[in-house]
Amino acid sequence: MTTPKLQYKKMKMEELIVLAQQDDMLALEELLKKEQKNVFTTFTYLTNKREDVSDLTQEALLRVAKNLKSLKNPANFKSWLNQIVTHLFYDELRKRSKKPSIISIDDENDELNPTAQLKNLIPDKKCKPQEKCISLELEDIIITEISNLPQQFKIAIILRELQGLSYEEIAIATKSSIGTVKSRIARARLKLQENLKNYI
């Protein structure tokens, strides 16, 4: 006999969304669990402050729970969720611009150092075999290079490559034209290719 929670785990996203919109709390719980890692990863790439990632993730999931009934078409959930994530991130940027932050460039383990924060998110694995070590080192470099992109390029490339959104969906999420989105993604790719050419 299948337990109710196991039944929900096997459901497709759209089924969970419809049930959650009908006040099914188990469906909502499962939906949020499925999206939590995705949202956390997106904020990890977007924000330089590690301590903000968990708070922003919680706030995004809370907004999903509060506003899910306003989503008319469950097939648009991913795009709708990424609009919430993007708006939250822009809000955070506006707040941050009002108070200057001090970043130590001397201490790689400094909590405010963006490079150190991003590196800390990758599990520390033993360097054997050698390929694994090289792969982890490359992952570090890629994360660092993405985090160093100008803000608009970074958001566009993350929504496209990490979240798999269409140009149209990114344009809606960032309140930009499709042409602007395409330009930002193309420029972000060129910049990443240039910065990573010695490694890839």
Side-chain angles (χ1 to χ4, degrees), residues 24-82:
D24 185 327
M25 289 298 113
L26 286 176
L28 179 61
E29 183 186 340
E30 186 59 36
L31 178 66
L32 296 179
K33 270 185 193 171
K34 284 190 175 187
E35 287 305 311
Q36 185 174 1
K37 187 177 178 183
N38 179 33
V39 172
F40 185 89
T41 304
T42 304
F43 280 127
T44 298
Y45 277 89
L46 287 174
T47 183
N48 287 337
K49 294 196 171 185
R50 174 81 188 272
E51 64 270 23
D52 289 344
V53 175
S54 293
D55 291 342
L56 287 168
T57 300
Q58 283 184 358
E59 180 59 30
L61 295 175
L62 187 63
R63 289 191 187 187
V64 169
K66 280 183 177 177
N67 301 303
L68 191 61
K69 286 184 181 180
S70 69
L71 178 66
K72 292 182 173 66
N73 183 356
N76 295 334
F77 177 75
K78 194 169 184 179
S79 176
W80 177 76
L81 172 59
N82 278 291

Side-chain angles (χ1 to χ4, degrees), residues 124-135:
D124 184 21
K125 296 175 184 172
K126 304 274 183 206
C127 291
K128 54 179 185 179
Q130 188 180 357
E131 289 77 15
K132 186 187 242 183
C133 182
I134 292 167
S135 172

Side-chain angles (χ1 to χ4, degrees), residues 49 96 99-103 112:
K49 294 196 171 185
R96 215 182 288 169
K99 47 183 180 181
S101 60
I102 299 165
I103 296 175
L112 294 176

